[in-house]
Amino acid sequence: MTSTTLRRALEEADLVIEGSRPRALEQLGLGPDQVTPRDGGVWLSITGYGRDSPAGQWVAFGDDGAAAGGLVTWTHDGTPTFVGDAIADPLTGLFGALGVIESLIRGGGHLVDVSLRRSSAWIAANATVLL
């Protein structure tokens, strides 16, 4: 696919979902602020640490994104351990879906920016754990 074909697809899409570091598409001139989306189109950007530099260029996976957000627990001897296997991935997907729905309710045309770290941090700060 050429960059012209990709640009056309991005401009015509109802929903763009991208899960890369911001520079990946920006260096091709295809970032969310470089493409004119169709009216009401929504762009969902899923990153490890958000779109802002320098953290916006850092790579993350579900486990390290969760740990960076504080979504860890400790064993009886004080060893940190993951709450769930790659738990930040599905949590971030859920937050992204909610963001897209909210954008559509408001008429669309938004950049929905979700990250593994921020999603995990919100859950870590707001979830109640039943023991």
Side-chain angles (χ1 to χ4, degrees):
M1 177 178 293
T2 67
S3 62
T4 303
T5 304
L6 181 54
R7 175 178 295 281
R8 190 173 315 118
L10 294 172
E11 291 173 342
E12 295 174 4
D14 293 322
L15 173 62
V16 174
I17 302 173
E18 57 99 3
S20 60
R21 289 178 282 173
R23 76 167 181 216
L25 289 176
E26 288 171 359
Q27 67 189 6
L28 298 173
L30 298 172
D33 59 340
Q34 299 167 311
V35 172
T36 305
R38 68 166 207 71
D39 288 339
V42 179
W43 188 300
L44 172 58
S45 176
I46 300 172
T47 62
Y49 295 92
R51 297 189 61 79
D52 296 328
S53 293
Q57 302 308 326
W58 299 349
V59 175
F61 299 95
D63 288 333
D64 59 293
L71 197 53
V72 294
T73 189
W74 288 264
T75 62
H76 66 281
D77 67 353
T79 303
T81 186
F82 299 118
V83 172
D85 184 30
I87 194 70
D89 292 325
L91 291 175
T92 304
L94 289 171
F95 280 114
L98 290 171
V100 168
I101 291 167
E102 177 70 17
S103 176
L104 292 172
I105 288 170
R106 295 174 181 260
H110 301 101
L111 168 62
V112 178
D113 175 14
V114 295
S115 75
L116 300 176
R117 188 202 60 78
R118 286 193 319 257
S119 297
S120 297
W122 191 91
I123 293 293
N126 293 286
T128 301
V129 178
L130 302 174
L131 299 176

